[in-house]
Amino acid sequence: MRSLMTGLALVALLLSGCGSADDGAPTSEPSTSSASGDTLLERHDLAGLSGAEVVDTLDRLPLDDRPADLMASVKPDQLILTSGDEELALPTPDGEFYLSVAPYVDQTHDCFHHSLTTCKGELGGEEVKVTITDDTNGEVLVDDTVTTFENGFAGFWLPRDIEGTLTVEYDDKQATTEFATGAEDPTCLTTVRLA
């Protein structure tokens, strides 16, 4: 019975697609470079890529090409890769924060740290107009029409430690929300309901 319950809990986590605030939290300090880490990257055709390049590569993968045996969780200052009992931490660029946004009309899910291999939003492959403004100085950081990845997300590298406003437009619908890019803030934004 216990193994059935454990299996059901794992399936529920995978189906939910994204992680909580403590998802992928290592029980010990993850390796930042090792033979095991290099092998993990090689096995997934990610060898030689920086943390930012791995984030961009995995987020853009078609859903059918996403590795089922790799968990990739984007934290505010690092990317945690886990496969079986192997774990590797790759730094993300100094001063930058990856915010992954999944706008939705009808259906969403809870998420805190974006999972590059399991998160799935409602609007995959759709054109959306995105405006992102730094509220501290009024600077417009993004003002563009983008196509969401097949997983329903659009990802943006933003300055760390800012508070901002995000506006998304899709068809005749719009949503505006506030966000922040500090050390305790979510990298996954799934609360952008278009109405």
Side-chain angles (χ1 to χ4, degrees):
M1 182 70 167
R2 173 180 270 173
S3 64
L4 175 63
M5 295 304 289
T6 302
L8 289 175
L10 180 58
V11 168
L13 174 64
L14 291 175
L15 289 177
S16 70
C18 291
S20 65
D22 63 354
D23 68 314
T27 52
S28 61
E29 196 63 33
S31 167
T32 55
S33 178
S34 68
S36 175
D38 293 341
T39 302
L40 187 152
L41 293 173
E42 288 169 5
R43 245 190 354 261
H44 296 286
D45 297 323
L46 302 169
L49 300 181
S50 69
E53 291 168 330
V54 172
V55 168
D56 291 336
T57 298
L58 291 176
D59 228 3
R60 286 172 169 72
L61 279 179
L63 293 176
D64 290 342
D65 293 344
R66 290 174 188 247
D69 64 336
L70 178 67
M71 291 296 294
S73 183
V74 182
K75 306 294 177 111
D77 62 351
Q78 63 183 342
L79 171 64
I80 305 293
L81 300 171
T82 308
S83 182
D85 60 358
E86 296 175 274
E87 190 169 84
L88 177 67
L90 295 176
T92 53
D94 283 341
E96 293 187 35
F97 183 103
Y98 190 70
L99 181 65
S100 197
V101 181
Y104 75 100
V105 176
D106 297 314
Q107 184 177 334
T108 191
H109 60 279
D110 290 335
C111 184
F112 196 87
H113 291 131
H114 182 50
S115 172
L116 299 165
T117 53
T118 61
C119 273
K120 186 170 185 297
E122 179 183 40
L123 301 176
E126 297 289 338
E127 281 194 357
V128 294
K129 169 84 168 77
V130 177
T131 307
I132 300 176
T133 305
D134 181 340
D135 290 346
T136 59
N137 59 20
E139 179 184 357
V140 176
L141 303 171
V142 175
D143 185 10
D144 201 2
T145 298
V146 300
T147 301
T148 58
F149 306 134
E150 197 171 306
N151 65 357
F153 283 81
F156 304 95
W157 288 102
L158 303 173
R160 257 188 226 167
D161 298 320
I162 66 165
E163 293 181 359
T165 301
L166 169 104
T167 300
V168 179
E169 298 173 45
Y170 171 73
D171 285 342
D172 60 344
K173 299 172 175 56
Q174 180 176 318
T176 298
T177 190
E178 295 177 350
F179 70 91
T181 63
E184 303 299 321
D185 291 311
T187 60
C188 186
L189 193 54
T190 58
T191 56
V192 184
R193 183 165 189 237
L194 297 154

